[in-house]
Amino acid sequence: MSNLRIQKISGHSGAPPGQGAQRQEQVAKLIDTTTCIGCKACEVACMEWNDLPFRETSFDNTYQTMPDMAWNYWTLIRFDEHTHADGSFQWLMRKDGCMHCADPGCLAACPADGAIVQYQNGIVDFQQDNCIGCQYCVIGCPFNVPKFNPHTKRVFKCTLCSDRVAQGLEPACIKACPTGCLHFGTKDDMKALGESRARQLRDQSGFAHAGVYDPAGVGGTSVMYVLHDITNTESYGGLPPDPRVPMTVRLWKGPLKWLGNLAMIGGLIGVTLHYLRFGPKTVPQPAKGDAPGGS
């Protein structure tokens, strides 16, 4: 992990360690939903590589392994049946997980020093040893990704296999994908590859609204999707069309924080002026011979 340089740290006001010592290419994962077959190999690879404890699956009248992600289930293939205007339907399958935002709401909301770090290559990683279990990161995430473990009082999510990436390897889910649905490389290369695939879908496959999902509301993401219909992202398992860091987090970490600091400074100034004007407060001593506490 020493090969990864930190760009941002939660709850940390100073410069991150090693700032400017090394420049790293921003990496990204491209998920082509048009070639996903729902085999769930990525789910298994994620659990095996990260040594996540096994949990029982639950059947909910769908092909999904779980109704939602969990603290010990970081990757989930979402299955959605989309009905077209002509009555035909289409399976929409999407690999769900952390999007690794360029402007991560989880990191902005976290008050614990070092609990969340963003590396210069774009990966947003959780450091559970520093987590205080406040769950503010859950509130700050517009994708509803971080999950809380009620037993350890810690929050977990996909790390984009930062340990593998630090050693020059691709994430485990990409290694396991049998159809080439998942790709990994620099952000620029993956964006170009996604745009090329979307253009092919528009020109040759009849998907007039095909496009690449890389939302600007969070500064772009290190996990991008190629979608059949970029104008209807919510049909892909509730993928938000314009995700943004919640305004409550922006206010709390922005104007309200500065107002609180100003209030503290005003209080210190008031105490200092009172001391200079009236001097130190003295406690009157009881007269000689009076009993303590007497009238």
Side-chain angles (χ1 to χ4, degrees), residues 58-64 91:
S58 56
F59 180 69
D60 192 26
N61 292 322
T62 179
Y63 289 111
Q64 282 186 202
W91 274 114

Side-chain angles (χ1 to χ4, degrees), residues 22-270:
Q22 177 183 346
R23 294 183 180 180
Q24 294 182 338
E25 288 279 0
Q26 186 176 2
V27 298
K29 174 167 61 177
L30 178 67
I31 303 172
D32 186 357
T33 62
T34 67
T35 57
C36 178
I37 60 175
C39 67
K40 307 179 184 179
C42 54
E43 294 183 2
V44 177
C46 178
M47 293 195 67
E48 288 187 346
W49 177 260
N50 294 289
D51 197 23
L52 298 175
F54 176 77
R55 60 176 295 159
E56 292 183 357
T57 58
S58 56
F59 180 69
D60 192 26
N61 292 322
T62 179
Y63 289 111
Q64 282 186 202
T65 310
M66 298 285 183
D68 199 0
M69 291 181 292
W71 72 268
N72 59 344
Y73 213 87
W74 302 349
T75 297
L76 176 67
I77 299 295
R78 295 192 180 275
F79 289 76
D80 290 276
E81 185 177 311
H82 179 62
T83 304
H84 298 284
D86 59 1
S88 61
F89 69 91
Q90 176 186 16
W91 274 114
L92 300 179
M93 291 168 283
R94 175 175 69 91
K95 177 184 178 298
D96 197 6
C98 179
M99 299 296 291
H100 297 273
C101 308
D103 181 19
C106 58
L107 189 149
C110 179
D113 190 0
I116 304 177
V117 299
Q118 182 184 39
Y119 301 116
Q120 288 185 2
N121 62 8
I123 295 178
V124 180
D125 202 356
F126 279 19
Q127 308 294 323
Q128 279 77 24
D129 290 343
N130 299 325
C131 179
I132 60 176
C134 65
Q135 302 185 62
Y136 288 156
C137 58
V138 179
I139 300 173
C141 177
F143 296 98
N144 191 31
V145 168
K147 300 300 179 184
F148 182 68
N149 182 350
H151 301 292
T152 63
K153 309 299 182 184
R154 299 290 187 269
V155 184
F156 297 81
K157 72 168 189 66
C158 158
T159 66
L160 203 60
C161 286
S162 56
D163 51 348
R164 292 176 59 90
V165 174
Q167 302 304 320
L169 302 174
E170 59 188 5
C173 58
I174 296 173
K175 189 74 173 178
C177 181
T179 65
C181 162
L182 306 180
H183 306 268
F184 185 76
T186 67
K187 176 69 182 283
D188 291 340
D189 287 348
M190 293 300 99
K191 189 70 177 290
L193 179 62
E195 294 291 355
S196 175
R197 173 58 176 164
R199 185 165 52 253
Q200 181 185 38
L201 291 170
R202 291 192 298 267
D203 296 341
Q204 302 179 17
S205 301
F207 295 104
H209 301 294
V212 177
Y213 184 82
D214 182 25
V218 289
T221 55
S222 288
V223 175
M224 299 177 291
Y225 293 103
V226 175
L227 304 178
H228 307 81
D229 186 0
I230 195 67
T231 65
N232 187 18
T233 63
E234 292 181 316
S235 61
Y236 294 82
L239 192 65
D242 186 25
R244 296 179 181 274
V245 178
M247 187 56 63
T248 52
V249 174
R250 295 292 192 196
L251 290 174
W252 172 38
K253 291 292 188 174
L256 293 181
K257 181 178 179 179
W258 284 107
L259 286 174
N261 292 338
L262 289 175
M264 288 176 29
I265 294 173
L268 291 174
I269 293 174

